[in-house]
Amino acid sequence: MLKLVIADDEKLIRESISHLIDWSALNIEILAVCKNGLEAFKVISEGEPDLVLTDIKMPMMDGLELISKAKEIYPE
């Protein structure tokens, strides 16, 4: 099963993405749903997800910076 991190600063979007899609039918487990890039980066650095679904514009750390930092930890 693949592990997914969802990161978006808008609560409605986070909840919609996490609840409206049948992730288990896609063989995907939601590892975490995060409200900003810093929270997501902490989860990524501890949980080693297979997939990250992120908003680009977020407070504290935007999605592009998040993916860049995650790639430093997991270059593969």
Side-chain angles (χ1 to χ4, degrees):
M1 185 166 276
L2 297 172
K3 295 181 285 183
L4 169 69
V5 171
I6 298 170
D8 198 301
D9 59 324
E10 295 184 44
K11 184 178 180 179
L12 180 62
I13 304 249
R14 283 192 313 266
E15 291 179 357
S16 295
I17 291 170
S18 64
H19 292 100
L20 294 178
I21 297 170
D22 185 2
W23 294 106
S24 61
L26 300 170
N27 202 31
I28 296 173
E29 169 192 2
I30 296 177
L31 188 60
V33 178
C34 305
K35 61 185 174 188
N36 61 54
L38 285 177
E39 189 178 311
F41 183 70
K42 182 178 181 196
V43 171
I44 291 167
S45 62
E46 295 172 355
E48 201 169 338
D50 301 294
L51 304 165
V52 177
L53 181 61
T54 181
D55 187 7
I56 292 178
K57 290 188 177 185
M58 293 185 291
M60 303 199 187
M61 181 187 297
D62 67 36
L64 298 176
E65 185 180 357
L66 170 63
I67 296 304
S68 178
K69 287 185 175 276
K71 193 169 181 173
E72 289 174 12
I73 298 172
Y74 305 111
E76 66 285 346

